[in-house]
Amino acid sequence: DGEHCDVFKSAGTSMATPIAAGNAALIREYFTKGYYPSGMETAEDAFNPSGALVKAMMIASAQEMLKHQLKTGVLEDMDYPSNEQGFGRPVLDKVLVLPSSEDMSLYVVGEAFNDNNALHEGE
């Protein structure tokens, strides 16, 4: 009718991929805007995180999913990790310290990524 959008249920890699990409972008932004280590945006703390750090944060944020729904509507138990869920669904507040975080700390070891650390053509 022009005023409402249709909503439909979907699952699988078509849905998981954009969610994972968006979460990876949020993790990267967390570091590039200087939220680490205080949880507050601080320009002096900003750095460009390596792809390995972003990936490690994604994996560490994973939460196991216990069941999934078959096309028949039946709920089925899932192994962990598995082809159905990988390491689970990302829950970023498990790994990113924010002002609302309780009893949580994050300690990152490594060098900030810059062009001097990058692989160059032929390496």
Side-chain angles (χ1 to χ4, degrees), residues 105-119:
S105 61
L106 172 65
Y107 186 69
V108 175
V109 178
E111 296 180 19
F113 181 79
N114 60 45
D115 286 336
N116 295 332
N117 298 357
L119 289 176

Side-chain angles (χ1 to χ4, degrees), residues 8-21:
F8 67 96
K9 180 180 171 183
S10 187
T13 56
S14 297
M15 300 294 104
T17 300
I19 291 170

Side-chain angles (χ1 to χ4, degrees), residues 18-97:
I19 291 170
N23 281 315
L26 289 171
I27 291 169
R28 184 177 187 288
E29 182 178 38
Y30 179 85
F31 291 109
T32 60
K33 289 198 171 184
Y35 283 91
Y36 173 78
S38 69
M40 304 285 289
E41 187 173 350
T42 309
E44 298 82 37
D45 292 333
F47 68 94
N48 191 13
S50 69
L53 174 58
V54 172
K55 184 177 180 179
M57 298 288 286
M58 288 285 290
I59 293 170
S61 78
Q63 179 180 31
E64 178 182 3
M65 297 181 290
L66 301 177
K67 297 183 181 289
H68 70 108
Q69 189 172 17
L70 301 174
K71 291 180 181 181
T72 61
V74 174
L75 290 178
E76 181 178 74
D77 292 340
M78 286 195 288
D79 292 329
Y80 179 79
S82 68
N83 288 335
E84 286 84 17
Q85 68 172 305
F87 288 98
R89 64 183 177 138
V91 181
L92 296 187
D93 58 0
K94 281 180 56 179
V95 295
L96 301 180
V97 175

